[in-house]
């Protein structure tokens, strides 16, 4: 398990009296008890839920879709822009490092999903719009902006712009968080 680099110095912190050894022992005991209860030390074939039959997951797709749709929060809808009127547009620029990145789509603490639908895939497969796609940034860190001008040109030539930014487990998560936004 990767719980970050903080624990590399825990032994030293206990020896210096900065962390109480009983606190560490209690925490480790709780963790090991949970691992035993979950079957982490058992052979996979003895743990009923170790491997999920993906056909079981298929029957949950409609309820997962409904949960996702109902959990969307719209903070501001200036001039009733949403929902989009598909008849008003013939082309869309989909721009951003997460627009067609399955890693961004999965989040941080993730299993290996059976289906990954990126925003680009969703728009391409559910509309008749001409989809103009440009990543813009090379990745979510946005360290390479050499494609910015291409993204701007695609945006200018489209009726609608959808930008998909965000983060992924490539820059956040256990042992991978940034200490600063600068």
């Amino acid at each position: 398990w990767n719980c970050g680099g903080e624990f590399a110095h825990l032994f030293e912190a206990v020896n210096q009296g900065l962390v109480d050894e009983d606190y560490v022992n209690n925490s480790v005991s709780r963790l090991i008890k949970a691992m035993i209860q979950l079957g982490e030390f058992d052979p996979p074939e003895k743990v009923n839920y170790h491997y999920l039959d993906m056909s079981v997951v298929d029957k949950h797709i409609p309820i997962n879709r409904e949960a996702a749709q109902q959990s969307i929060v719209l903070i501001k809808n200036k001039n009733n822009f949403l929902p989009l009127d598909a008849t008003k547009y013939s082309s869309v620029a989909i721009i951003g490092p997460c627009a067609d990145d399955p890693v961004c789509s999965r989040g941080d603490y993730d299993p290996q999903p059976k289906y990954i639908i990126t925003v680009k895939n969703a728009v391409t497969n559910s509309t008749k719009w001409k989809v103009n796609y440009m990543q813009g940034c090379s990745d979510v860190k946005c360290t390479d902006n050499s494609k910015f001008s291409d993204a701007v040109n695609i945006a200018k030539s489209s009726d609608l712009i959808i930008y998909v930014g965000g983060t992924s487990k490539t820059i956040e998560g256990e042992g991978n968080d940034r200490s600063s936004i600068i």
Side-chain angles (χ1 to χ4, degrees), residues 39-145:
E40 293 286 326
F41 300 110
D42 296 330
E45 63 273 7
K46 290 192 174 192
V47 181
N48 293 336
Y49 46 84
H50 190 271
Y51 296 106
L52 286 177
D53 177 6
M54 292 311 275
S55 64
V56 173
V57 177
D58 286 343
K59 72 180 179 184
H60 296 119
I61 289 174
I63 191 78
N64 288 339
R65 181 174 287 120
E66 182 181 343
Q69 289 170 339
Q70 289 187 20
S71 66
I72 294 171
V73 176
L74 180 62
I75 306 236
K76 187 175 183 180
N77 191 13
K78 190 174 181 180
N79 299 325
N80 292 317
F81 182 71
L82 297 174
L84 294 174
D85 179 355
T87 63
K88 290 175 65 175
Y89 308 100
S90 61
S91 65
V92 60
I94 300 179
I95 299 170
C98 291
D100 198 33
D101 183 348
V103 176
C104 284
S105 300
R106 290 183 358 219
D108 183 16
Y109 296 97
D110 63 312
Q112 295 299 318
K114 186 172 182 179
Y115 305 105
I116 297 176
I117 302 172
T118 65
V119 172
K120 179 183 174 261
N121 294 140
V123 172
T124 300
N125 295 329
S126 64
T127 70
K128 294 179 181 178
W129 297 333
K130 176 184 180 222
V131 174
N132 302 309
Y133 166 70
M134 177 56 61
Q135 194 174 1
C137 293
S138 58
D139 56 30
V140 293
K141 291 180 185 178
C142 212
T143 53
D144 176 9
N145 63 6

